[in-house]
Amino acid sequence: MAKWVDEGELRVAQILFGAQAVDATLYLGLYTNTTEPAETANLAALTEPSGNGYARIALSRGTWTVTGDYAQYAQQTFTASGGNWGNVYGYFIATSSDGTGKLLAVEQFTSAPFVVNNGDSIKVTPKITVA
């Protein structure tokens, strides 16, 4: 289950208690960092696959399932096309499709790394604790 990072916790507080607008869309991405990003990480601290069909996947607001103490989104598939991505260690949730937004949460795959070659896919079911 993905863990919140400081930027994500601050974003939630700004939306709930401040004047920050709700993000209509969040984005799911993959990272190639060998260790799980720290609580203090931001998007600049992450290294993503580059090219070969890689792009963050949009996660629409209102389509998450909230059950008990977690929120979960439907399974998403990333597929390398035109070349290899190499080792992928985990996923993250952010507020933008590029490096300009805020990092909300990260999770290192328990079986990391996954070696992603041309034509290979990684399936991710984003899940984050809300407790």
Side-chain angles (χ1 to χ4, degrees):
M1 194 169 315
K3 70 173 185 180
W4 290 100
V5 297
D6 291 344
E7 277 192 341
E9 293 167 341
L10 178 58
R11 186 70 167 204
V12 170
Q14 289 170 333
I15 290 169
L16 289 175
F17 307 114
Q20 176 68 48
V22 174
D23 301 291
T25 305
L26 298 178
Y27 294 86
L28 178 67
L30 301 174
Y31 66 82
T32 60
N33 305 55
T34 58
T35 58
E36 185 174 75
E39 176 85 12
T40 57
N42 58 28
L43 285 175
L46 298 178
T47 304
E48 295 179 76
S50 179
N52 301 318
Y54 175 77
R56 293 182 192 171
I57 297 173
L59 307 175
S60 300
R61 185 172 186 273
T63 56
W64 290 75
T65 300
V66 179
T67 306
D69 65 350
Y70 66 89
Q72 182 171 310
Y73 201 86
Q75 185 177 76
Q76 302 296 303
T77 303
F78 293 89
T79 303
S81 61
N84 303 332
W85 291 347
N87 292 337
V88 174
Y89 288 85
Y91 74 90
F92 64 92
I93 301 167
T95 62
S96 68
S97 61
D98 58 21
T100 63
K102 302 293 183 187
L103 178 63
L104 301 179
V106 297
E107 182 175 8
Q108 180 127 355
F109 297 131
T110 55
S111 301
F114 292 110
V115 179
V116 182
N117 293 315
N118 187 32
D120 290 347
S121 295
I122 291 182
K123 295 181 179 188
V124 177
T125 303
K127 187 174 181 180
I128 187 166
T129 184
V130 293

